[in-house]
Structure formats: C-alpha cells, structure tokens
Amino acid sequence: MLEQLLIFTRGGLILWTCKELGNALRGSPIDTLIRSCLLEERSGAASYNYDVPGAAYTLKWTFHNELGLVFVAVYQRILHLLYVDELLAMVKHEFSEIYDPKKTVYNDFDAIFQQLRKEAEARAEDIKKSKQVGKPVNGNLGKKQGQVQKGGTDGGNKKKGDGESGNDGDKVKGNAKENGHFNGSIENGVVNCKEDGNSAAGAFDVNKLQKLRAKGGKKVDTVVNKGSKAEPTKKTKKNRVWDDSPSKPKLDFTNSVSENGNENENVAGVAAEQGESMMDKEEIVSSDSETEEDEEPGKDSKVEAKKKGWFSSMFQSIAGKANLERADLEPALKALKDRLMTKNVAEEIAEKLCESVTASLEGKKLGSFTRISSTVQEAMEEALVRILTPRRSIDILRDVHAAKEQGKPYVVVFVGVNGVGKSTNLAKVAYWLLQHKINVMMAACDTFRSGAVEQLRTHARRLQIPIFEKGYEKDPAIVAKEAIQEANRNGSDVVLVDTAGRMQDNEPLMRALSKLIYVNSPDLVLFVGEALVGNDAVDQLSKFNQKLGDLSPSPNPRLIDGILLTKFDTIDDKVGAALSMVYISGAPVMFVGCGQSYTDLKKLNVKSIVKTLLK
C-alpha cells in the first residue's frame, strides 16, 4: 500500500499531499531524500531506501523540469508495488495541466488522484494475472528441456553409482568448463543452450571424451617423465663473500635539536627554513580555460550541423527547442562522461553524474541561441560545484578553540590504506597548527608497522612537540585513550592520532580501528587517500565506511568526517579522485597534500577543480 505521495516545488513549497493516505511516516524520509540524494546530484538513481527503527521505506520520484516540480511517492519496502512508476508519470502529466505558479492550494486534485490510482492498480493486477497464467507453460517447457537433456546424456552416465555425483546438471557444467567453450548459460542447474545449425548431428558421448582425455593425460605424463631423466642436475649458486670493510656510519640527516630547547624558538627555526604553510594562502584561479571550454561546444555543433543540415540547426538555435529529450542529451553527455573518466573520475561516479544531469534537464525548454552541449556543460558545472562544496563548516581552528573553552583536547584520528602518507601529512597538519599558536601532541598508535613509531618520533623531534608512544604490539585503542589523558594533564590543545595503514578488506585491522574510534570518540576522523587512485577510491571509501559501521558496537557508529588528499602534486590535471571520494562518502576534502615539506598542505579550491575536470 502507498504510504504517501507528495508534490512540491524545487524551492521547497509543498503544493499537494494525498489526504486519503495520510499515514504518519516514521522519521523524515522526504527530508533525507532531499538532503542526501536530490541536493547531492544522486537524482539519476531509480529509487532511494530509507531505514528507521520500526519501518523501512522505498522512495521513488520524478521531475517536471520545465515547471520546476518534484513528485515523490513513499511506500513500505516489503511491498513490491509495480504501479508506482506508472502512477507517478500519470500524476505528473495530469498535475502539469492544472498547475498555476500563482496558486498554492490544489484540493480539486484529490478526485483526479483517486481515479489515477485505481487505474494504475488495475493495470498492475492485470499484469500480475497474465504472469501467473504464463507460469505453467514455462514449467512444461522446462520439463521438456530437462527430458531432452537427460536423454542426451544417458549414454555417458551408465556407471552412475561408481563414485560419480548424482547431479546431471553439475556433470554437464563441469564438462563444459573443462572443454573451455560453452554455447549457452547455466541457471539454477538448468542448462539453457543456444542451438546451432548442426545440433541434430547427435549427442556427444561423455565416455569417449573421458577416454580421449585420459589417453592425452598419459601421453603428456610419459613425455614429462622422459624429459625429466634427460635434465642435468642444477648447480646451486654460492653466496658471494664480500671483503671485510669497516661499518659505515648511520645516515641521519635530521637536525639535532636539544631536548631542553624552547618550543617557540624551534618552530621559528623550522618556519624560517620551511616558510609559511600553504593552508593560509589563497589560491587564484586563472580564466585561461574559458577559451578551451568555448571551443568544445563548437566541435559538437559542427557534428550536429553535419547530421541535421545548416538551415535546420540555424533555425533551431534561433527559435529554441520545445523540450529537451533524453536522445538530445545523450551525445553531449557521452562526451562529458568520457572527459570525466580521462580526468581519473571513477566510471560508476561519472555515469551517476550524467544520469543526474539528464534527470535535471529532461523536459526543459532550450533557450534561443543556446547549444545543447553548452547547456549540458553548465548543468554539470553547477552539479560539480554543489557536490564539492562542503555542506558544513570545515574550520578546524574554530573547533579547536571551542574544545579548548570546554577544557578538553581536540582529537583527530588519521585513517587510510597502506602507503598513502598518513604520518607525513599528520606532521604537516601539526606544523600548520603550531603556526597558529596551538599546542599539539602526537599519539603513535601505529603499533603494527615496523618503524612507524620512529618515523613519528623524528617528526616530533623536528617540530619540538610532545609524542605519546607505548612501542609495538599494543592495543591502539588503549594507547590513544592514554594519550588523550596525558594531553589533558599537560594542557595540549590538539591530539593527532596516527593509525596503522590497512586495506579495506582486512577485517581484524578494521575491527581494531572501529574499536579505537568507539572507545575514544574523536572529534574528527580523517580519511587519508591518494589522489592517484581512480576506480579504487570508490571501493576504499565505501568499504571503510561500511566496516566502521558494521564492526562498531555502537547503535550510531562514527563514520569518516573528512578527507585528506595526498600526492596532489603528481597528478597534473587528473583530479578526479577528489570528486569520486566526496561523491561516494559525502565527506568534504579538508586538506590537500601537494609536496614533501611541512608547508605543502593547502585547501581544496573547488572552482579550480571543477574547471580542470571540464577542461
């Protein structure tokens, strides 16, 4: 049964709701749909699932882009309602005919909706009955096929009781796999073969096939045995003995800093050597790419002119197209999808973005002197800016001062896969915070990788900041908890927690990370990811979030709050990983690592990224 049907404008004004349904929805499915799907450019999806204690809803929607209307239907997920899509299309058509922008109340639409709903339900019932009538016919066909298969293979299955499996379907499947070629498909043990022209030549004999294979195997074995006799014995290589040489001194290029040195003096020394952090510098975006962007629509228009002719394309550009259809948008969107993928955007994300842009443009009237390609480009640019712009404040300095007023340290946990640069970028964040006169403490909670504690100790010595460590093979959750307690005692404002690198499929390490976050409740969970990854960015972030949610004992588990992108200086214009990560997780990019020195940390420039993606 339908729970609710709602019609509202893109501005959020509710025009009509079904009073007959009037069921009180648990939670706020409509608000969640708008916030996490429609505003996040996920409107190209077919449906949206909303879970709340005691209920599970499925939401479906459609747009009237010319009028700026949204139609949403809500129903219980357990009920597979077949008529919802058709009902939404009918409601959209009927409501658009009586819609008036100056009118806000549509009580007369109730009777129309009841009639549309009855028609849609009746059609769904007819479809269901026709399917039920068709089932016995399919069953008889299946039986006949099974008899034919059995008859075809009986010749080779006479000795069925001699240790062979009793399932004919499994045997055929095994033979088909061993032969390497199979003309058909296997579903639920039934072989659906594609018939060839020479299929009437007779069934193959399995016994003959097995004998031939056995003979072939014996021949191969004998050849191998003969060859093994002729092979000479291999001489093992002796280890090379080097001349005794004096042991070389350790190569340690780190600056020796006195342990009793003043912190401010050391920071000033490092700052004089390294300079000011790039986090506090504003990046200027040049407009060089505008000419290139103007050239692209020109190319598309040439292709269109060849297809349609000069006069028709000229007339269309002057008069404007009545309504944009999916077929009109496909060529421009395909070119845009290919361009996004060349910029290292994951294929799945590029496809969803194009679907979302199609949903927002379909049915819209094309203005005079405007090309379809430029319209699609503008819609995609708006969508990318909306996705990459953070939905909440990412001002860490403000949050640090707020935590300081409450008398507790601000805790940041760095998580991510192996080798992405968590420890190095943790030191960069520490250096930036020190420049803003904030007391920082490091916590060495990577008790798994050899050399991890020593690496963090070196950064702490260079920056002259305290580090809390307990060595290796300790529980990282307990180490982090003790580090926070120590920060409370010595008056540190921020605790930066370094964790071990782990692959998203490593369940023991993911369980340990989930425990660390649950026990210590950090203020910020930063996912450190490489800007070099393409499709793997989707897998990494989605599985990290999934594991953190599944393995946490809390009913409301903490997920990833922000992203730190590393190695951004090595990718040239392949900036698509930023878009893939933000789209899949909904978390903003808070820092961008762009080098190996402490100053090479900056903010993400959304306009620059969008321009690079569409260039």
Side-chain angles (χ1 to χ4, degrees):
M1 181 183 173
L2 203 64
E3 293 288 321
Q4 188 57 269
L5 198 139
L6 196 70
I7 303 173
F8 56 92
T9 65
R10 284 187 181 272
L13 177 65
I14 298 175
L15 299 175
W16 180 83
T17 56
C18 183
K19 294 174 184 174
E20 182 192 346
L21 298 173
N23 297 324
L25 298 174
R26 292 174 180 267
S28 52
I30 306 289
D31 293 342
T32 308
L33 172 73
I34 294 169
R35 189 170 58 250
S36 61
C37 193
L38 303 187
L39 291 179
E40 290 294 315
E41 295 302 325
R42 293 179 172 87
S43 53
S47 62
Y48 179 76
N49 292 330
Y50 176 79
D51 293 313
V52 70
Y57 298 115
T58 295
L59 290 84
K60 291 196 172 185
W61 63 91
T62 187
F63 300 112
H64 197 300
N65 291 311
E66 190 178 351
L67 301 178
L69 301 177
V70 185
F71 304 81
V72 180
V74 186
Y75 61 93
Q76 292 281 356
R77 194 185 309 164
I78 197 170
L79 306 172
H80 298 288
L81 302 183
L82 303 174
Y83 61 86
V84 175
D85 292 320
E86 187 181 357
L87 179 63
L88 279 172
M90 292 160 67
V91 168
K92 172 184 169 182
H93 178 263
E94 294 294 333
F95 192 83
S96 61
E97 291 184 355
I98 65 169
Y99 175 68
D100 183 3
K102 297 177 183 178
K103 191 177 175 183
T104 56
V105 180
Y106 293 87
N107 292 327
D108 53 343
F109 191 68
D110 292 346
I112 300 172
F113 173 73
Q114 288 177 10
Q115 184 63 29
L116 295 175
R117 186 180 167 197
K118 285 176 183 176
E119 288 179 17
E121 286 178 348
R123 287 182 189 175
E125 283 295 324
D126 292 341
I127 292 169
K128 197 182 286 185
K129 285 176 183 177
S130 65
K131 283 184 178 178
Q132 287 175 354
V133 169
K135 274 183 183 179
V137 178
N138 296 335
N140 292 334
L141 285 172
K143 284 179 182 177
K144 287 179 181 178
Q145 286 176 359
Q147 288 170 3
V148 171
Q149 288 165 3
K150 192 175 179 182
T153 54
D154 268 347
N157 292 339
K158 287 177 182 177
K159 296 180 181 179
K160 199 169 186 179
D162 300 336
E164 294 181 8
S165 63
N167 194 342
D168 293 339
D170 290 341
K171 184 170 287 185
V172 175
K173 183 176 179 180
N175 292 335
K177 282 187 178 177
E178 286 172 5
N179 294 336
H181 299 284
F182 182 68
N183 191 16
S185 60
I186 300 174
E187 294 179 1
N188 299 327
V190 178
V191 185
N192 304 317
C193 296
K194 296 179 183 177
E195 295 181 2
D196 295 328
N198 57 355
S199 60
F204 66 90
D205 194 345
V206 179
N207 279 341
K208 288 181 181 179
L209 188 66
Q210 288 174 352
K211 286 174 184 176
L212 286 171
R213 193 182 290 118
K215 286 179 181 177
K218 286 176 184 176
K219 286 180 183 178
V220 171
D221 291 336
T222 52
V223 170
V224 171
N225 291 334
K226 286 178 183 177
S228 61
K229 289 177 184 177
E231 279 183 7
T233 55
K234 290 183 179 179
K235 293 181 180 179
T236 56
K237 188 177 179 181
K238 295 179 180 179
N239 293 329
R240 181 173 291 179
V241 180
W242 297 94
D243 296 331
D244 294 335
S245 57
S247 59
K248 294 182 180 180
K250 267 190 177 181
L251 297 175
D252 188 2
F253 293 106
T254 56
N255 295 334
S256 56
V257 180
S258 59
E259 293 182 1
N260 299 324
N262 193 358
E263 183 180 345
N264 293 331
E265 287 178 7
N266 184 69
V267 172
V270 176
E273 181 189 340
Q274 301 280 345
E276 187 184 355
S277 177
M278 293 170 70
M279 278 292 292
D280 302 317
K281 296 177 183 177
E282 290 295 328
E283 190 177 347
I284 300 167
V285 184
S286 62
S287 58
D288 298 337
S289 57
E290 287 180 3
T291 54
E292 294 176 12
E293 287 176 13
D294 291 339
E295 287 172 8
E296 288 293 331
K299 291 176 186 175
D300 295 338
S301 64
K302 284 177 186 176
V303 176
E304 287 176 11
K306 284 178 184 176
K307 287 181 181 177
K308 299 180 180 179
W310 178 83
F311 181 77
S312 60
S313 62
M314 187 68 182
F315 179 76
Q316 184 175 311
S317 65
I318 294 170
K321 188 171 171 61
N323 284 313
L324 286 172
E325 297 173 1
R326 184 176 284 268
D328 302 323
L329 299 169
E330 275 178 1
L333 282 169
K334 187 179 184 305
L336 206 55
K337 179 189 169 185
D338 294 341
R339 196 186 308 172
L340 287 173
M341 287 171 64
T342 57
K343 303 290 183 182
N344 222 11
V345 177
E347 183 183 1
E348 180 187 347
I349 305 300
E351 210 166 285
K352 286 181 180 177
L353 277 169
C354 290
E355 282 292 328
S356 181
V357 170
T358 305
S360 65
L361 290 178
E362 198 174 356
K364 238 180 186 176
K365 185 175 172 60
L366 189 67
S368 303
F369 297 101
T370 53
R371 301 189 189 98
I372 291 175
S373 53
S374 58
T375 305
V376 170
Q377 180 109 348
E378 286 171 13
M380 181 62 81
E381 187 172 347
E382 288 174 9
L384 295 178
V385 169
R386 193 157 51 246
I387 290 166
L388 290 171
T389 304
R391 290 177 291 171
R392 58 178 177 80
S393 172
I394 56 171
D395 189 355
I396 289 182
L397 297 175
R398 190 193 66 179
D399 296 339
V400 169
H401 290 300
K404 192 176 181 180
E405 288 175 3
Q406 295 175 7
K408 62 174 188 177
Y410 187 82
V411 182
V412 184
V413 175
F414 292 76
V415 304
V417 300
N418 308 78
V420 293
K422 288 183 294 299
S423 304
T424 305
N425 284 276
L426 181 146
K428 292 180 190 177
V429 173
Y431 177 74
W432 171 65
L433 291 171
L434 286 172
Q435 287 192 320
H436 289 273
K437 311 298 181 189
I438 292 172
N439 298 324
V440 184
M441 187 178 86
M442 293 181 179
C445 296
D446 184 354
T447 60
F448 186 76
R449 174 173 67 90
S450 301
V453 176
E454 288 78 7
Q455 181 185 2
L456 212 61
R457 195 186 297 155
T458 303
H459 286 303
R461 190 171 71 246
R462 289 207 66 192
L463 297 173
Q464 198 62 27
I465 59 177
I467 178 173
F468 186 87
E469 55 172 288
K470 286 287 185 180
Y472 296 100
E473 297 184 3
K474 303 289 191 301
D475 187 351
I478 304 302
V479 176
K481 188 175 183 180
E482 292 177 4
I484 295 168
Q485 292 170 354
E486 179 65 25
N488 270 318
R489 284 193 292 270
N490 64 21
S492 295
D493 301 326
V494 177
V495 180
L496 302 178
V497 180
D498 185 31
T499 62
R502 63 204 78 213
M503 294 307 292
Q504 60 269 24
D505 299 320
N506 191 330
E507 188 167 325
L509 285 178
M510 288 303 299
R511 192 178 294 278
L513 180 62
S514 180
K515 180 186 174 185
L516 185 148
I517 293 171
Y518 172 69
V519 169
N520 297 287
S521 300
D523 298 281
L524 185 65
V525 179
L526 270 182
F527 178 84
V528 185
E530 282 182 326
L532 300 166
V533 294
N535 289 331
D536 199 38
V538 178
D539 189 54
Q540 285 177 10
L541 262 172
S542 58
K543 284 192 177 175
F544 250 84
N545 263 336
Q546 182 187 348
K547 293 286 184 184
L548 288 178
D550 293 346
L551 301 175
S552 175
S554 172
N556 298 314
R558 281 288 301 280
L559 302 178
I560 291 163
D561 300 317
I563 298 166
L564 194 158
L565 269 178
T566 65
K567 306 177 186 177
F568 213 72
D569 55 324
T570 63
I571 56 171
D572 193 23
D573 63 343
K574 305 288 191 293
V575 296
L579 177 64
S580 299
M581 288 184 177
V582 172
Y583 188 92
I584 201 69
S585 68
V589 176
M590 305 185 76
F591 300 101
V592 174
C594 53
Q596 296 183 8
S597 62
Y598 290 135
T599 58
D600 294 329
L601 190 74
K602 62 181 182 180
K603 297 174 185 174
L604 183 77
N605 193 318
V606 174
K607 289 182 181 177
S608 172
I609 295 293
V610 171
K611 222 160 228 187
T612 306
L613 284 170
L614 298 178
K615 189 165 64 176

